[in-house]
Amino acid sequence: MIKTPYLLFLGDAPDQLAAKVAQGIKDWRPDNAVAQFRMEGCGADVGLSDMTLAEAQAAGAKTLVIGVANRGGIISAAWKEILIEALNMGYDLASGLHNLLTDEADLVAAAEANGRELHDVRIASVDYPIASGKKRSGKRVLAVGTDCSVGKMYTALALDKAMQAKGMKSTFRATGQTGILITGDGVPLDAVVADFMAGSVEYLTPPNDDDHWDVIEGQGSLFHVSYSGVTLALIHGGQPDALILCHEPTREHMRGLPDYTPPTMQQVADLALPLARVGNPECQVVGIAVNTQHMSEDEALAYLAAAEAEMGLPAVDPYRFGAERLADALAAL
Amino acid sequence: MIKTPYLLFLGDAPDQLAAKVAQGIKDWRPDNAVAQFRMEGCGADVGLSDMTLAEAQAAGAKTLVIGVANRGGIISAAWKEILIEALNMGYDLASGLHNLLTDEADLVAAAEANGRELHDVRIASVDYPIASGKKRSGKRVLAVGTDCSVGKMYTALALDKAMQAKGMKSTFRATGQTGILITGDGVPLDAVVADFMAGSVEYLTPPNDDDHWDVIEGQGSLFHVSYSGVTLALIHGGQPDALILCHEPTREHMRGLPDYTPPTMQQVADLALPLARVGNPECQVVGIAVNTQHMSEDEALAYLAAAEAEMGLPAVDPYRFGAERLADALAAL
């Protein structure tokens, strides 16, 4: 287990989206984070106090969590000095990057010299099976997005919270490093070897009570050419009974792909549903989750009303206005 | 790159099917194989001369390729003596078995002592990039199947051969163990970590002459829930200009999935084409390759004629009757 509370390392994150790991911890487990640590030029701010390593340690922080995900998941040279200083001061480190802490000889040496721990939450520590495709008991809902980083994890966490508030049985199932850091359990799907992706999702969402819902965190997008294979493995391994469409309406191009225009919600539904029905012929799209963070409240409410009318499905911003209507839609299935 | 030409090790293969890797090399790259090596009791024969290690080396062989897949993919004790003798004589070894050459301490020791290479084509030996999605020069064609093991690799190899016979510029791009051993190069896609799947396919099919075709070996199926994510990574990383639909009409259920009915060719086209157009809006389905090995010649010809009429596309069995009409369809694009 990773020692809490954390100091959240935002490094030189170019923008707010790059700090979504830290933002997720702050939003869903605020008691676990005492402060944020930002380097000069950092373009992110998750709304915690800025503290030095010494100040945060005095405030009780035990682990420096790398709360920023850059493209390719590299531990840059610019970060190293701070990470080593933290180890020397008595912090553990935790990271979900592809570039493992334990692959960096200087970090390993500093950790050993100081008796500290390096937690790489992205490492797949289980030999996952090849997916069997067998029908499992219990129910599953999966968030599918028009793009990466549109709010699929937040939607799943908010939906899980709303379902539990209604007295429904539900479990949030993390498939990425942030979700794993938040819940302490899950499958680091983007680090799983190709042949075992769908099997790892079956492993994550085993047979359960007939009235229990697994709320599965989505990854990537069928329309994001870098990661679409991961998305389809979730759709086929997760065998969802229900899909929630996740969208961010102000995105001008697909994240990291300047030549790619985001699809409409209808385009995602038109591809995701027939693909999902290969694994579960009963699957339905039950609702829409819109990330309205870049809209005024009036704009957001108008957009949601228009989306609801156009798609004939409940449309909410689960983070801003709550996920109760999505929970109601699942309860009604 | 694996050094050619090879001596094909058939070992104690119980039957012809167990030697399908060696058969593929002999059928598609006969210049890559000088001879076969069979142990006592071997039930396979790929139609090459039988030679000892010394005879094949005198004939130019550089690498002993394990051309046999036994149950469980194990390197048996009975093979070890010959493999070590080969290393001592100056051969490299290459294998696509689950049981890695590099996991066998005695083989590693013999390779090191003799300065030889052990090629395990089932593991990824390159740090592949994350896919950029950028448009690349040159043209690409991808085989997509209704199921696994319907003849996608043979279709791609036959198409490459037919294109070269027509004077077109083409390169077969291997994405599986057998294809890599046949050509000596490629990406073992099912062993690549999820986030890098599409990037590995971009790496495999780099920018090229405008009139050059990469003929990309397909994997899995969009309708095979165990492996569909790998298929979609091929579609998005490969950025194909053209798709060939591959089908095996006598299959009663999806391979390894007794509860799943194979889709029709039209169903595959209806999902594969919109997905492919995310990465390449010009992509077209240009032809059909049917594996008719379980049909009489009359049945095969009747099936192909019916498929051609139904789909409005050239339909051939590329292995049985040649792939010329598929090459013509690509030339006409």
Side-chain angles (χ1 to χ4, degrees), chain B residues 191-225:
Chain B
V192 173
V193 166
D195 248 8
F196 302 97
M197 292 186 299
S200 76
V201 182
E202 290 188 350
Y203 171 96
L204 179 69
T205 60
N208 213 315
D209 297 343
D210 287 342
D211 59 346
H212 175 276
W213 284 88
D214 277 330
V215 184
I216 308 172
E217 179 190 357
Q219 295 293 336
S221 166
L222 290 172
F223 287 78
H224 196 296
V225 296

Side-chain angles (χ1 to χ4, degrees), chain B residues 144-152 155 245-255 261-265 268 288-295 303-304 316-317 320:
Chain B
V144 294
T146 50
D147 194 2
C148 298
S149 306
V150 293
K152 292 185 294 293
T155 296
L245 300 177
C246 299
H247 187 48
E248 204 284 65
T250 69
R251 192 85 42 107
E252 289 180 0
H253 61 75
M254 296 293 283
R255 186 163 171 80
T261 304
T264 64
M265 288 181 283
V268 174
I288 295 166
V290 182
N291 177 343
T292 65
Q293 66 176 322
H294 299 302
M295 299 172 143
Y303 187 91
L304 291 169
V316 305
D317 181 331
R320 191 171 190 172

Side-chain angles (χ1 to χ4, degrees), chain A:
Chain A
M1 289 302 297
I2 301 168
K3 294 190 195 80
T4 56
Y6 306 146
L7 172 60
L8 302 181
F9 178 78
L10 307 192
D12 46 6
D15 56 30
Q16 195 67 15
L17 270 177
K20 70 172 186 169
V21 173
Q23 192 71 54
I25 295 167
K26 187 265 182 177
D27 289 339
W28 296 101
R29 293 291 184 277
D31 292 348
N32 281 355
V34 302
Q36 63 188 11
F37 182 101
R38 298 191 292 167
M39 292 166 61
E40 194 163 315
C42 180
D45 181 348
V46 302
L48 289 170
S49 309
D50 288 293
M51 289 191 189
T52 64
L53 293 174
E55 288 166 348
Q57 194 167 45
K62 302 281 194 294
T63 301
L64 183 68
V65 172
I66 296 183
V68 51
N70 54 12
R71 202 167 159 82
I74 300 303
I75 297 170
S76 73
W79 295 1
K80 278 284 183 68
E81 194 180 344
I82 295 149
L83 301 184
I84 289 171
E85 188 186 349
L87 289 166
N88 289 338
M89 289 174 64
Y91 281 92
D92 289 345
L93 300 184
S95 165
L97 298 177
H98 271 295
N99 182 171
L100 303 181
L101 299 171
T102 52
D103 280 348
E104 299 298 304
D106 44 4
L107 297 182
V108 171
E112 283 179 0
N114 293 285
R116 308 319 313 164
E117 287 185 66
L118 303 178
H119 299 279
D120 285 303
V121 302
R122 189 184 288 266
I123 290 177
S125 53
V126 172
D127 284 335
Y128 300 112
I130 289 189
S132 74
K134 285 185 186 141
K135 178 75 183 159
R136 308 192 287 291
S137 55
K139 292 183 177 297
R140 287 157 198 88
V141 55
L142 173 67
V144 294
T146 50
D147 194 1
C148 299
S149 307
V150 294
K152 294 184 294 293
M153 185 191 72
Y154 273 51
T155 296
L157 283 160
L159 180 55
D160 174 54
K161 190 175 174 183
M163 291 168 82
Q164 295 197 7
K166 281 175 67 76
M168 296 170 73
K169 294 184 197 167
S170 78
T171 307
F172 170 75
R173 299 295 190 185
T175 61
Q177 70 271 19
T178 308
I180 296 169
L181 282 168
I182 289 172
T183 63
D185 197 12
V187 166
L189 186 58
D190 58 10
V192 172
V193 165
D195 249 6
F196 304 98
M197 292 186 298
S200 75
V201 181
E202 290 188 349
Y203 171 94
L204 179 68
T205 59
N208 213 316
D209 296 344
D210 287 343
D211 59 347
H212 176 276
W213 284 89
D214 277 330
V215 184
I216 308 172
E217 179 190 358
Q219 295 293 335
S221 166
L222 290 172
F223 286 79
H224 196 295
V225 296
S226 308
Y227 308 117
S228 54
V230 179
T231 309
L232 187 51
L234 268 165
I235 290 173
H236 282 164
Q239 231 174 56
D241 302 274
L243 300 175
I244 306 283
L245 298 177
C246 298
H247 187 48
E248 204 283 65
T250 70
R251 193 78 50 98
E252 289 181 358
H253 61 75
M254 297 294 282
R255 182 159 172 78
L257 304 176
D259 299 333
Y260 288 76
T261 304
T264 64
M265 288 182 283
Q266 188 64 55
Q267 285 176 299
V268 174
D270 288 347
L271 274 178
L273 199 56
L275 286 166
R277 286 181 173 166
V278 172
N280 185 345
E282 307 301 319
C283 186
Q284 295 184 43
V285 179
V286 299
I288 295 167
V290 181
N291 177 344
T292 65
Q293 66 177 321
H294 299 302
M295 297 172 145
S296 71
E297 184 158 332
D298 283 352
E299 285 171 335
L301 291 170
Y303 188 90
L304 291 169
E308 186 151 336
E310 182 194 334
M311 301 287 291
L313 294 166
V316 303
D317 182 331
Y319 186 62
R320 192 171 189 171
F321 304 121
E324 290 71 21
R325 295 181 58 225
L326 300 180
D328 292 344
L330 292 176
L333 256 196

Side-chain angles (χ1 to χ4, degrees), chain B residues 71-235:
Chain B
R71 208 172 159 74
I74 298 305
I75 298 169
S76 71
W79 295 2
K80 278 285 184 66
E81 193 180 344
I82 295 151
L83 301 184
I84 289 171
E85 188 185 348
L87 289 166
N88 289 338
M89 290 173 65
Y91 281 93
D92 290 344
L93 300 184
S95 164
L97 297 176
H98 276 291
N99 182 170
L100 303 182
L101 298 170
T102 50
D103 281 347
E104 299 296 306
D106 45 2
L107 297 181
V108 171
E112 282 180 1
N114 294 285
R116 309 319 314 164
E117 288 185 64
L118 303 178
H119 297 278
D120 284 303
V121 302
R122 193 172 283 274
I123 57 174
S125 54
V126 171
D127 284 335
Y128 300 111
I130 288 185
S132 75
K134 286 186 185 138
K135 178 74 183 161
R136 309 192 288 289
S137 54
K139 293 184 176 296
R140 288 157 198 87
V141 54
L142 172 67
V144 294
T146 50
D147 194 2
C148 298
S149 306
V150 293
K152 292 185 294 293
M153 183 189 75
Y154 269 53
T155 296
L157 284 160
L159 179 55
D160 174 54
K161 188 175 175 182
M163 291 169 81
Q164 296 199 5
K166 280 175 67 74
M168 297 170 73
K169 294 184 200 169
S170 77
T171 307
F172 169 76
R173 300 295 190 184
T175 61
Q177 285 76 38
T178 305
I180 295 170
L181 287 172
I182 287 174
T183 61
D185 201 7
V187 166
L189 188 57
D190 59 10
V192 173
V193 166
D195 248 8
F196 302 97
M197 292 186 299
S200 76
V201 182
E202 290 188 350
Y203 171 96
L204 179 69
T205 60
N208 213 315
D209 297 343
D210 287 342
D211 59 346
H212 175 276
W213 284 88
D214 277 330
V215 184
I216 308 172
E217 179 190 357
Q219 295 293 336
S221 166
L222 290 172
F223 287 78
H224 196 296
V225 296
S226 308
Y227 307 117
S228 54
V230 179
T231 308
L232 187 50
L234 268 166
I235 290 173

